[in-house]
Amino acid sequence: MQRKGYGYSFLVCCSLALGLGALLAPRSALAATFTVDTTDDAVDVAPGDGQCKTANDHCSLRAAIQEANALIGADVIRRPPGTYVI
């Protein structure tokens, strides 16, 4: 009976370790997509929070670049045709 208890304890410890690893893994490792919706040049209000948002509640090209640079991994920036001065 003692041997069965150790196997169960080992299984529980391994399960907890894997669960904690999954919880503590960085979420930003997944690619993010930012869609530019203004040609204005404005900065992101909180780079690294996963949201491309300026003070005027838009996503400028500069804000999208700032946000993408703050996150881990390859990100996608979509922009409509137009002239962007940054």
Side-chain angles (χ1 to χ4, degrees):
M1 291 279 180
Q2 285 267 352
R3 198 168 202 175
K4 186 177 180 182
Y6 287 122
Y8 179 73
S9 296
F10 180 73
L11 178 65
V12 169
C13 288
C14 288
S15 297
L16 286 173
L18 289 173
L20 286 175
L23 288 175
L24 298 176
R27 287 186 358 219
S28 58
L30 302 173
T33 300
F34 303 106
T35 303
V36 176
D37 61 6
T38 182
T39 57
D40 295 338
D41 183 16
V43 299
D44 190 83
V45 292
D49 68 349
Q51 298 180 3
C52 178
K53 189 180 286 191
T54 64
N56 294 332
D57 205 26
H58 288 284
C59 180
S60 68
L61 180 58
R62 182 180 300 273
I65 292 170
Q66 287 179 309
E67 197 62 45
N69 285 340
L71 298 177
I72 297 171
D75 300 308
V76 176
I77 298 175
R78 294 191 175 137
R79 61 169 185 79
T83 302
Y84 297 86
V85 180
I86 57 171

